[in-house]
Amino acid sequence: MEEILKVKNLFVELEGEKIIEDLSFVVKKGEILTILGPNGSGKTVLLKTLLGLIPFKKGKIVWKDQIKIGYLPQGLTPVKIKSLPLSVKDFFQLKQKNEKEIERVLNLVEIRSQILEKRLGHLSSGQFQRVLVAWVLIDNPDVLIFDEPTTGIDVGGEQTIYSLLYRFWKEKQATVILVTHDLNIVYKYSSNVLCLHKGSLCCYGKPQQILTPQSLEKLYGTEIKFYKHIH
């Protein structure tokens, strides 16, 4: 499998504080890599550094040439954009997409085209999150980067969002880099898991092999109860 991304001996500092320290890993084409770790472990900083949004002190980040990346950041909610007079259609037209393309991608995330005239701020959290996923997918990216894509939606909605992403990954043979706290999702979908603790690599490999009660306790500093997903 060809390498999509290679990270070697990465160090990131923000305002003099070490956030990522001596981190190395590889992401291959078609892989679903999940990044796990407690709050403050550097997960979001890592994603932003990979995207070139945050500078790094030393090390290497090498993406495959001409790779197209779709990124969904953490914490976007309809409440935050309620005051913007944008309909769903207006939102997609910011990307200069026509109605046929918009309807195609909304169909991918199982939303009916009648939603197009609705204001973004009037959507339910589940609808809004699907629209955001569609917004990322409409460009047909080679790599999808999602930072906790189900924040603020209920458990049923979470499962749906992840199943939609999995379907897109399978159909398009895309590569996915994902931050989530949901261990059930990690077991169900991930090819590999990268565990960060205080910016350093804690464990890395296939979830069924490395995510033991002992490694999770080391990662989170407390006992974690979990149920191993059986394929």
Side-chain angles (χ1 to χ4, degrees):
M1 292 274 258
E2 64 179 314
E3 290 179 359
I4 292 289
L5 169 66
K6 188 170 186 175
V7 176
K8 191 170 183 184
N9 306 124
L10 184 68
F11 286 80
V12 181
E13 281 189 8
L14 292 177
E15 299 176 353
E17 184 185 350
K18 287 179 184 175
I19 307 295
I20 304 288
E21 191 168 2
D22 198 21
L23 183 62
S24 300
F25 64 95
V26 170
V27 180
K28 294 185 176 178
K29 181 178 170 60
E31 183 178 332
I32 298 178
L33 173 70
T34 302
I35 301 169
L36 278 182
N39 292 334
S41 59
K43 304 183 298 295
T44 295
V45 169
L46 174 58
L47 294 187
K48 289 183 175 179
T49 305
L50 297 179
L51 290 161
L53 303 174
I54 292 177
F56 54 95
K57 189 175 182 185
K58 58 181 178 177
K60 281 186 178 179
I61 296 174
V62 182
W63 286 99
K64 185 188 168 194
D65 287 344
Q66 297 180 314
I67 208 81
K68 192 190 288 185
I69 301 170
Y71 172 50
L72 181 57
Q74 185 185 15
L76 293 174
T77 67
V79 174
K80 289 186 178 179
I81 57 165
K82 210 160 193 169
S83 59
L84 295 175
L86 281 179
S87 69
V88 173
K89 187 176 178 180
D90 295 333
F91 183 52
F92 280 98
Q93 286 178 339
L94 293 173
K95 285 196 169 190
Q96 299 179 318
K97 302 296 181 182
N98 62 46
E99 200 159 323
K100 193 173 178 182
E101 289 177 289
I102 299 167
E103 287 183 8
R104 177 190 63 81
V105 79
L106 288 178
N107 188 50
L108 262 181
V109 297
E110 297 174 357
I111 289 183
R112 298 174 70 179
S113 58
Q114 286 91 322
I115 205 173
L116 283 171
E117 303 307 323
K118 260 194 167 186
R119 288 268 292 268
L120 284 173
H122 295 164
L123 300 178
S124 70
S125 56
Q127 287 174 325
F128 181 71
Q129 208 64 20
R130 288 185 191 215
V131 165
L132 289 180
V133 170
W135 165 262
V136 174
L137 299 185
I138 200 167
D139 294 319
N140 284 312
D142 306 300
V143 180
L144 297 167
I145 297 182
F146 288 98
D147 192 354
E148 297 194 43
T150 59
T151 301
I153 61 179
D154 60 37
V155 175
E158 282 187 14
Q159 297 293 330
T160 306
I161 293 294
Y162 285 120
S163 62
L164 292 172
L165 292 178
Y166 184 72
R167 196 177 76 194
F168 181 84
W169 166 79
K170 210 166 184 179
E171 287 175 3
K172 303 289 183 180
Q173 297 181 316
T175 303
V176 178
I177 300 174
L178 170 73
V179 169
T180 181
H181 287 290
D182 190 330
L183 291 176
N184 290 323
I185 293 300
V186 175
Y187 279 111
K188 194 171 182 181
Y189 297 129
S190 300
S191 314
N192 281 309
V193 179
L194 187 153
C195 304
L196 280 180
H197 183 69
K198 295 182 180 176
S200 297
L201 187 64
C202 182
C203 52
Y204 177 60
K206 296 191 180 304
Q208 293 80 6
Q209 294 170 2
I210 66 164
L211 292 184
T212 62
Q214 293 77 18
S215 67
L216 289 170
E217 187 170 350
K218 183 183 174 187
L219 179 62
Y220 290 102
T222 184
E223 187 180 350
I224 303 288
K225 291 181 180 177
F226 71 100
Y227 300 94
K228 200 172 258 195
H229 181 84
I230 300 171
H231 292 272

